[in-house]
Amino acid sequence: MGVDTVNLNIDEIKKLIPHRPPLLLIDRVEDLIQDQEATGIKAVSMGEPFFVGHFPDFPVMPGVLIVEALAQTAACMVAVTLGDATKGKLVFFTTIEKARFRTPVRPGDMMRLHVTKTAAKGPLWKFTGIASVDGKTVAEAEFGAMTVDPAR
């Protein structure tokens, strides 16, 4: 028997994580396997607000936003895995390590954001993430995140 996978459209993503444009950086999630891995998809467009200043004559997606997109993909996996236990909670970075940026991501690129869970203990989760365009790695990182109740 095969492993069941979950695919999420933008409306389903918005029900799972609190991010909204311009900081919602994934358009869909494919092949999500609960408690294991997921792949986010980001269609990079010239209409992205960060391209106005980064850089106007040679628009490049900031590396920190690529890592954020990886984290949003991971947050969707956590939310699907934990279900109602994540309702009303936020997922915050705890660590970002070994981040490497190999090739610029530019308008017109279709970025795939593959994340794999490497560990979890209580509210703390660890992941590896690889961002690619046309099958070529553009960025990678190891990162940790934690589910928390927001301060009110």
Side-chain angles (χ1 to χ4, degrees), residues 6-112:
V6 175
N7 296 316
L8 305 169
N9 65 32
I10 191 67
D11 299 319
E12 294 163 322
I13 291 167
K14 288 166 75 175
K15 290 176 185 173
L16 293 174
I17 63 176
H19 305 79
R20 296 295 179 266
L23 222 41
L24 178 57
L25 298 172
I26 54 176
D27 299 313
R28 69 178 190 265
V29 175
E30 299 178 342
D31 303 326
L32 186 154
I33 301 172
Q34 290 187 33
D35 204 35
Q36 291 182 37
E37 64 184 351
T39 301
I41 305 295
K42 170 65 177 165
V44 182
S45 150
M46 189 58 203
E48 307 285 354
F50 48 81
F51 286 137
V52 172
H54 197 266
F55 302 98
D57 295 330
F58 189 81
V60 174
M61 185 171 184
V64 67
L65 295 181
I66 296 170
V67 175
E68 173 64 24
L70 288 165
Q72 289 179 16
T73 302
C76 286
M77 196 225 346
V78 170
V80 168
T81 299
L82 298 179
D84 287 342
T86 62
K87 292 257 190 253
K89 297 195 182 214
L90 299 174
V91 180
F92 288 144
F93 275 123
T94 56
T95 61
I96 301 171
E97 302 176 59
K98 299 181 183 175
R100 302 283 184 262
F101 305 98
R102 310 226 179 265
T103 303
V105 175
R106 310 224 36 237
D109 286 344
M110 185 69 68
M111 189 167 51
R112 298 182 63 80

Side-chain angles (χ1 to χ4, degrees), residues 3 32-38 77 81 114-118 125-127:
V3 176
L32 186 154
I33 301 172
Q34 290 187 33
D35 204 35
Q36 291 182 37
E37 64 184 351
M77 196 225 346
T81 299
H114 187 79
V115 296
T116 304
K117 181 188 95 171
T118 57
W125 293 59
K126 294 196 176 227
F127 304 91

